[in-house]
Amino acid sequence: MTKDQFAALHRADHPLVLFNVWDAGSAKAVADAGATAIATGSLSLAGAQGFDDGEAMPFDALLRAVRQIVAAVDLPVTVDFETGYAQCLEDLSTNAAALREAGALGCNFEDQVLGGQELRDAAEQAERIAIVAGAGLFVNARTDMFLAPLMAGENPNRAELVTGAIKRGAVYKDAGASSFFIPGLSDIDMIAQICAGVDLPVNVMRLPGMPSNVELGAIGVARISYGPAPWREAMDALGEAARELYR
């Protein structure tokens, strides 16, 4: 599948639903269930290999897992690239090319500064997006504008954050992003504002209390991710089954 064909899957009238996977086996299970694309989640993939989230998993191990996933399914694969496993632009370019060579068609690429809640300057992040897109990847440009306050226990559904996100969406589009990811935002009216204000397919992450996928599509959402929830649910089920066995 080409980037253009993958882009065509991002439709508000029938959103692309990504039930995020963590290895070749989970990718095959999701593909066999009827998925049209496969997406990894950074926390899930790292956790399945015994690492913490936040690029604690070595990049070589990530590439190895990606190759295994790509070999297991006949579907486009998009990978959570986090901040690119690189600080300098040269290393970022090398890593993006390696990810594409491993078989990934797309990637999530976030604008937070690794290890904190600070966001990169939008112009700096745009330069980084251009490099990743230049490697041939469909860039799902993620802003952590909403996720950072959510993780800090604050309310992410705030009007000033929506305004800031719309501005970043425009900058990221001009840099070569193919879609815009706004994890952490759950207010349906605010999501609708971003869908209307950003000239890119909008990706949300499913959170408790959000409306159905059909309702999200009706307000303009073109891509819906499940993030670490599938992995957590699978590990909880595994742990409970083991506890029953060993009681």
Side-chain angles (χ1 to χ4, degrees), residues 159 162-163 166 185 187-198 219:
V162 171
T163 300
I166 290 172
L185 185 65
D187 182 275
I188 191 167
D189 293 329
M190 292 182 177
I191 293 171
Q193 288 179 46
I194 292 178
C195 291
V198 176
I219 62 166

Side-chain angles (χ1 to χ4, degrees), residues 72-238:
V73 297
D74 189 23
L75 290 173
V77 175
T78 181
V79 174
D80 193 333
F81 196 29
E82 300 193 69
T83 67
Y85 287 74
Q87 293 302 314
C88 77
L89 299 183
E90 183 179 357
D91 288 347
L92 178 61
S93 179
T94 298
N95 289 351
L99 186 62
R100 183 70 185 94
E101 186 178 350
L105 183 59
C107 68
N108 288 353
F109 187 54
E110 60 201 53
D111 60 8
Q112 71 164 325
V113 176
L114 192 67
Q117 296 182 14
E118 180 184 353
L119 301 187
R120 292 184 187 274
D121 176 78
E124 178 189 2
Q125 182 65 5
E127 187 176 13
R128 293 171 67 85
I129 288 170
I131 287 171
V132 177
L137 291 159
F138 179 107
V139 178
N140 186 38
R142 168 179 142 175
T143 182
D144 283 77
M145 189 163 283
F146 305 102
L147 194 58
L150 180 66
M151 298 298 289
E154 302 170 5
N155 177 23
N157 298 301
R158 305 203 305 266
E160 69 273 16
L161 298 183
V162 171
T163 300
I166 290 172
K167 290 178 180 177
R168 281 186 177 256
V171 173
Y172 296 170
K173 178 183 184 297
D174 289 345
S178 297
S179 57
F180 187 50
F181 190 19
I182 51 171
L185 185 65
S186 60
D187 182 275
I188 191 167
D189 293 329
M190 292 182 177
I191 293 171
Q193 288 179 46
I194 292 178
C195 291
V198 176
D199 190 22
L200 283 172
V202 171
N203 180 188
V204 300
M205 185 170 71
R206 174 152 289 288
L207 295 170
M210 290 178 72
S212 70
N213 291 348
V214 171
E215 291 173 285
L216 288 170
I219 62 166
V221 173
R223 173 167 163 165
I224 301 166
S225 302
Y226 278 68
W231 179 72
R232 285 173 169 156
E233 291 170 5
M235 294 304 101
D236 286 347
L238 178 65

